[in-house]
Amino acid sequence: MKYVFYRQLGRLFESVGINIGELLRASSLPEDLLSRREIMLTEEEYFRLMEQVGLMTKGDEVIRIATNDGIETFSPPVFAAYCSSDGRNFLTRLAHYKRLVGPLQFIVTEQEKDLELEIGSITEGLTVPAFWAELEMVFILNLIRKATQADVKPVSVTFQHEVQSRALAEYLGCQPTHGNKNVLTLSQSDAALPFITRNESMWQYIEPELRRRLSEMEIDDSMAARVRSALVELLPAGKTTIDFVASKLC
């Protein structure tokens, strides 16, 4: 399975002083990656890249990247979610279509007084790189603040790593704690604040294409799983050619 990587994000990395050539070499990725028409990365490649970016940045640079003007327009799934009626709707939509943006999963959980967003890897057991978790938290909070025109402060923020950056804590508006998950917790009242960016017409226009893309990803993933299963059965007999697998899958 491969996931889209938006070249605009690479340009944002450059804007904070990261040498893209060095970054790609350190990540064991082709140096012409960002010049390709379509940039697709496996989950492993994505994680390696984000790990290396973290080694080349500081806390305040994470904030500069995640709050860049117009960042909500980089990808259709994010822009579509930005057209939501409120924070709850925004996070729910973003969680549903997150796989179209990269190999992370968002899990939204509603409590009586709070709304929790957990940021984790798609593959169980993989730890989201610290930089990436911080980037996602700031990015989401920034968009909610812009869309509501309110200084929304989380009830709490938990990371799987110890946060060293004072600038990050100041931006979030609370001192992050260390735990076994990356979780952003908002009050229900803040999650219900209306978005001035609400645009149902735009959502109705974009959403069918998002559904189509997500469906294609699920079909591709299902076929890959079928091929792996067939290979496991055929390996003992040494029948591992394309013709044997195709025949087994009819």
Side-chain angles (χ1 to χ4, degrees):
M1 175 71 71
K2 290 198 171 186
Y3 303 86
V4 65
F5 180 86
Y6 293 95
R7 71 182 75 254
Q8 295 95 325
L9 191 53
R11 293 182 185 132
L12 286 181
F13 294 160
E14 283 185 305
S15 73
V16 297
I18 293 177
N19 183 297
I20 293 300
E22 291 181 7
L23 171 63
L24 294 175
R25 284 192 295 273
S27 306
S28 300
L29 292 171
E31 290 190 43
D32 68 340
L33 184 69
L34 295 188
S35 65
R36 296 179 181 181
R37 181 177 178 183
E38 187 177 38
I39 307 171
M40 303 294 290
L41 299 175
T42 64
E43 183 180 39
E44 180 185 355
E45 290 169 339
Y46 232 115
F47 272 62
R48 282 206 313 267
L49 179 66
M50 290 302 195
E51 189 76 53
Q52 287 300 321
V53 175
L55 295 175
M56 298 180 177
T57 55
K58 301 174 183 178
D60 56 342
E61 291 168 346
V62 169
I63 297 168
R64 285 168 57 193
I65 294 170
T67 60
N68 185 268
D69 286 342
I71 196 169
E72 68 277 3
T73 64
F74 282 8
S75 72
V78 172
F79 182 66
Y82 196 55
C83 294
S84 298
S85 57
D86 56 30
R88 180 184 296 104
N89 194 216
F90 165 72
L91 292 176
T92 300
R93 287 179 179 177
L94 202 54
H96 186 67
Y97 292 108
K98 183 60 181 175
R99 289 178 66 196
L100 296 177
V101 183
L104 291 181
Q105 67 171 342
F106 285 0
I107 301 174
V108 178
T109 305
E110 297 224 27
Q111 310 289 348
E112 182 179 351
K113 295 182 179 181
D114 303 325
L115 183 147
E116 293 184 352
L117 173 70
E118 179 186 340
I119 300 173
S121 60
I122 290 176
T123 300
E124 187 176 354
L126 275 181
T127 300
V128 179
F131 163 82
W132 202 359
E134 293 176 3
L135 185 75
E136 293 288 338
M137 292 281 193
V138 174
F139 172 72
I140 289 166
L141 192 56
N142 172 57
L143 291 192
I144 290 175
R145 287 172 177 172
K146 286 175 64 175
T148 60
Q149 294 290 286
D151 186 22
V152 173
K153 288 183 170 59
V155 173
S156 64
V157 175
T158 302
F159 286 109
Q160 290 177 287
H161 62 277
E162 295 282 358
V163 173
Q164 305 296 330
S165 170
R166 181 178 300 177
L168 179 62
E170 289 177 354
Y171 181 85
L172 294 172
C174 67
Q175 182 60 47
T177 58
H178 183 211
N180 59 1
K181 295 179 180 179
N182 301 303
V183 181
L184 172 70
T185 303
L186 300 175
S187 68
Q188 286 285 8
S189 57
D190 281 343
L193 289 173
F195 272 27
I196 62 172
T197 55
R198 179 177 183 175
N199 190 330
E200 282 303 312
S201 296
M202 185 62 71
W203 166 251
Q204 290 172 14
Y205 180 77
I206 298 176
E207 197 262 345
E209 176 64 13
L210 298 183
R211 275 193 286 110
R212 184 189 69 78
R213 291 187 188 182
L214 193 60
S215 177
E216 286 180 352
M217 286 188 75
E218 290 169 349
I219 290 172
D220 288 345
D221 195 37
S222 175
M223 178 56 71
R226 289 180 63 201
V227 169
R228 285 193 293 271
S229 178
L231 282 170
V232 168
E233 294 180 23
L234 292 169
L235 273 171
K239 299 177 179 180
T240 57
T241 67
I242 290 175
D243 288 339
F244 280 121
V245 175
S247 176
K248 186 169 183 63
L249 297 178
C250 300

